[in-house]
Amino acid sequence: MLTFLVCLTALVIAYFTYGRYLERVAAIDPARSVPSETLFDGVDYVPMPRWRVFLIQLLNIAGTGPIFGAILGAAFGPVAFLWITLGGIFMGAMHDFLSGVMLVRNDGLSIPEVAGRYLGTGMRQFMRLFSVVLLVLVGAVFLLSPADILSGMVPSVPHTVWVWLILAYYFVATLLPIDKIIGKIYPIFGVALILMALALLGVLLFGPYRIPELTTLANAQLDPHSVPIVPTLFITIACGAISGFHATQSPLMARCVRNERECRSVFFGAMISESIIALIWAAVATAFFGGAHALAEALAANGNSAAWAVNIISNTTLGIAGGILALLGVVAAPITSGDTAFRSARLIVADIFRIEQRTQWKRFAIALPLFVAGYLITRVDFTVVWRYFAWTNQTLATIVLWAVVVWLFAAKRNYFVALLPAVFMTFICASFVFVSGQFFGMENRPAAYALAGAATAVVLCFILLKLRRNGRSNP
C-alpha cells in the first residue's frame, strides 16, 4: 500500500509543482490572444469554460487506454507503478502540456502541421499520412470493440446493427460543431470516468485487498525473457504514462481554451488525472488477483483480455455499480475516443488542403471518405495490424517530443525537460524493434540494445544538426 500511496501523492503534488515550473518554461502569457477568439468559426474554434474543456480533454485522451494498458502492464509487477508515476509526470504530462501550448500558439493547427514547422517539410509530409492512417485505424477499432461488447450484452441485436448505429453516431458527432454534442455530453462521461476511479480507490483503501509493494524490479510475467521490462513495459503502458495519440487530440481543445493560463489544467491536469486512473487500475488489478504473477496467469487463461479483467473486477468489487462501471469503461469510453479520432482526422485533412470548416458540405466532403475507409477496415482482420499500434503510438509521442525540443530551443527556454525524455523514448521505440518478436525478435539482447543505442545516437545527431541550422529562429 505504501508504494501506491507514495506514487499517488507524487502525481497530485506534481500538478502544483512541476506543472507550475513548466508554465514558466513555456512563458505562459494570459494577455496573449488564443485561437478560440482570433479564429472563432462556431464549429471547431469555439471558446468553452475551463472545466468543460478539461473534462473533454480527459475523456478524449483516455478511452480505454489507462484502463486496459494499466491492467496488462501491472502483470510486470509493481515496477509498473513507478513507470506510471515518473512517466506520467516527466514525460506524459510534460509532453501533453508543452505540445498543447505549442499548438495553441500555432493557431490550434493539427500536430503534423505544427511538428513540420519545427522538424521540416519531410517530417510534415510523413506525419500527415501517419496521423490520418493512425486516427482512422483508432476510429475503426473503437467502432468494433464496443459493437462486439454490445452484441454480447444484447444478443437479439446483430453485431452489424451495432456497428452501423455507432458509425452513424460518429458521423453526426464529427460534423456537428464541437459545442453541440462533445461540449455538452462528454463532460458527463468525463465526470463518470473520475467517479469510477474514485470508487475503486475506495475499494483499495477500505476493502480486503493488499497492494504489492515495490521491493524488487523483477519481471513478474510468465515468460520474462520474451517480454522484458525494457522496452516492453514502456510500450504496454502508454496512455497512463505517455501517448502520441494525445497529441492528435489536443488540437481539438487547443481551439477551445479561452486563455493560455488554462493550459496547465487542461493539458497537464488531464494527463495527471489519466495517470492517477491508470495507477488505480494497475493497483486494483494486482490486488484483486493476489499479485502480479497471479494477474499474469489469470490474463493468460482468458486470452490476455483486459476487458475480461475489467468486467470481473468491477462486478465483484462494486456489484451493480460495477456493471455500470464496466459498461462505461469498455463501451462509452472507446466510443467517445473513436468519435474524436475521426474528428481529428477531418481537421488534419482540412489543414493539409487549407479547407475552411465553417461550411457544412465541406466538412461532409472530408468526413465521408474517412468514414468509408474506417468501415472498410472493420471488414478486415486487424489482428496483425493492431499488434503494431502500441509501438506506433509511442513512436508518435517521440516525434512530438523532438518537435517540442526544437521549439523550446528556438525560444531559448530549458529544452532539457523534453530532450531527456525524447532520448529515452527514442531508445525504447528503437529497442522494441530489435527485441520484440513483432519485428526482428533478436535473441542476443546486448546486441539488440546496442543497435537501439546506435539508432538513438543517429536521431540525436540529426536533431542537434537541426538545432544548429534553424533552432535559433523565432518560434
Side-chain angles (χ1 to χ4, degrees):
M1 179 70 78
L2 179 62
T3 301
F4 170 76
L5 292 177
V6 168
C7 290
L8 183 63
T9 303
L11 285 167
V12 174
I13 292 176
Y15 174 78
F16 299 99
T17 55
Y18 195 54
R20 289 193 183 280
Y21 171 72
L22 291 179
E23 280 189 316
R24 295 195 295 273
V25 170
I28 292 298
D29 182 6
R32 194 192 302 261
S33 298
V34 293
S36 65
E37 57 181 336
T38 59
L39 298 170
F40 174 83
D41 63 0
V43 178
D44 297 307
Y45 291 90
V46 179
M48 290 191 289
R50 184 197 321 226
W51 67 268
R52 192 181 298 273
V53 176
F54 163 77
L55 289 171
I56 296 172
Q57 175 72 4
L58 174 60
L59 198 63
N60 286 355
I61 66 175
T64 54
I67 302 173
F68 287 12
I71 291 173
L72 296 173
F76 285 89
V79 65
F81 300 163
L82 201 60
W83 166 234
I84 291 171
T85 305
L86 297 180
I89 296 171
F90 297 106
M91 297 193 188
M94 178 276 298
H95 164 281
D96 287 14
F97 172 72
L98 292 179
S99 64
V101 174
M102 187 171 69
L103 291 166
V104 169
R105 292 183 183 169
N106 282 273
D107 296 332
L109 291 173
S110 54
I111 192 62
E113 305 308 305
V114 177
R117 176 174 182 179
Y118 299 104
L119 297 180
T121 303
M123 183 56 70
R124 177 184 289 113
Q125 299 300 339
F126 170 78
M127 286 282 285
R128 283 171 170 175
L129 177 62
F130 185 88
S131 298
V132 172
V133 171
L134 176 65
L135 287 168
V136 172
L137 176 63
V138 170
V141 170
F142 285 156
L143 172 63
L144 273 180
S145 59
D148 289 341
I149 296 166
L150 288 169
S151 61
M153 291 180 173
V154 188
S156 58
V157 180
H159 177 270
T160 305
V161 173
W162 286 117
V163 169
W164 280 106
L165 287 174
I166 297 171
L167 187 64
Y169 164 74
Y170 280 177
F171 196 74
V172 172
T174 300
L175 291 178
L176 286 176
I178 196 165
D179 60 336
K180 299 304 180 186
I181 293 181
I182 293 176
K184 287 184 170 60
I185 299 177
Y186 284 23
I188 298 174
F189 287 124
V191 170
L193 191 65
I194 294 172
L195 290 177
M196 77 175 187
L198 292 177
L200 287 174
L201 177 60
V203 169
L204 287 172
L205 296 178
F206 306 108
Y209 298 103
R210 178 180 175 274
I211 305 174
E213 300 292 352
L214 179 62
T215 57
T216 176
L217 298 180
N219 191 340
Q221 289 281 1
L222 301 182
D223 184 5
H225 180 76
S226 63
V227 282
I229 289 178
V230 180
T232 317
L233 171 64
F234 306 98
I235 298 293
T236 302
I237 300 180
C239 288
I242 180 172
S243 168
F245 177 67
H246 296 184
T248 67
Q249 301 300 290
S250 291
L252 298 179
M253 294 301 100
R255 302 181 185 205
C256 297
V257 295
R258 299 175 302 179
N259 193 291
E260 275 196 4
R261 62 171 168 241
E262 297 179 354
C263 289
R264 179 166 65 98
S265 56
V266 171
F267 299 113
F268 194 92
M271 181 60 217
I272 288 294
S273 300
E274 185 179 50
S275 293
I276 291 174
I277 293 171
L279 182 68
I280 290 172
W281 272 101
V284 77
T286 50
F288 182 85
F289 289 100
H293 191 77
L295 169 63
E297 290 179 331
L299 288 170
N302 290 274
N304 285 314
S305 173
W308 165 82
V310 169
N311 185 59
I312 190 171
I313 291 172
S314 302
N315 284 284
T316 303
T317 59
L318 300 175
I320 296 176
I324 299 174
L325 171 64
L327 184 65
L328 172 68
V330 298
V331 176
I335 287 178
T336 56
S337 292
D339 161 25
T340 53
F342 278 117
R343 190 181 191 93
S344 297
R346 171 176 65 80
L347 294 176
I348 289 175
V349 174
D351 288 343
I352 292 172
F353 297 104
R354 301 181 185 277
I355 302 173
E356 59 88 10
Q357 295 293 278
R358 190 188 298 267
T359 307
Q360 189 170 13
W361 74 263
K362 291 183 179 180
R363 300 199 299 272
F364 180 85
I366 295 176
L368 183 60
L370 293 174
F371 280 101
V372 170
Y375 176 74
L376 292 176
I377 292 175
T378 66
R379 315 305 298 170
V380 179
D381 181 5
F382 279 111
T383 306
V384 176
V385 179
W386 188 247
R387 282 173 17 193
Y388 300 94
F389 173 74
W391 175 83
T392 304
N393 188 33
Q394 298 301 64
T395 300
L396 178 60
T398 304
I399 295 173
V400 174
L401 284 174
W402 284 119
V404 171
V405 169
V406 177
W407 171 60
L408 290 177
F409 185 84
K412 298 183 175 64
R413 299 289 173 180
N414 178 14
Y415 59 92
F416 285 98
V417 296
L419 178 64
L420 298 179
V423 171
F424 176 79
M425 289 305 299
T426 301
F427 176 78
I428 290 298
C429 292
S431 59
F432 190 75
V433 170
F434 296 108
V435 169
S436 173
Q438 297 176 22
F439 293 93
F440 293 114
M442 294 176 59
E443 289 296 323
N444 189 335
R445 293 297 162 78
Y449 292 134
L451 288 171
T456 303
V458 169
V459 173
L460 179 59
C461 289
F462 168 80
I463 294 297
L464 292 177
L465 181 62
K466 186 74 178 174
L467 295 178
R468 182 178 180 183
R469 286 179 175 177
N470 59 10
R472 294 189 182 278
S473 61
N474 291 327

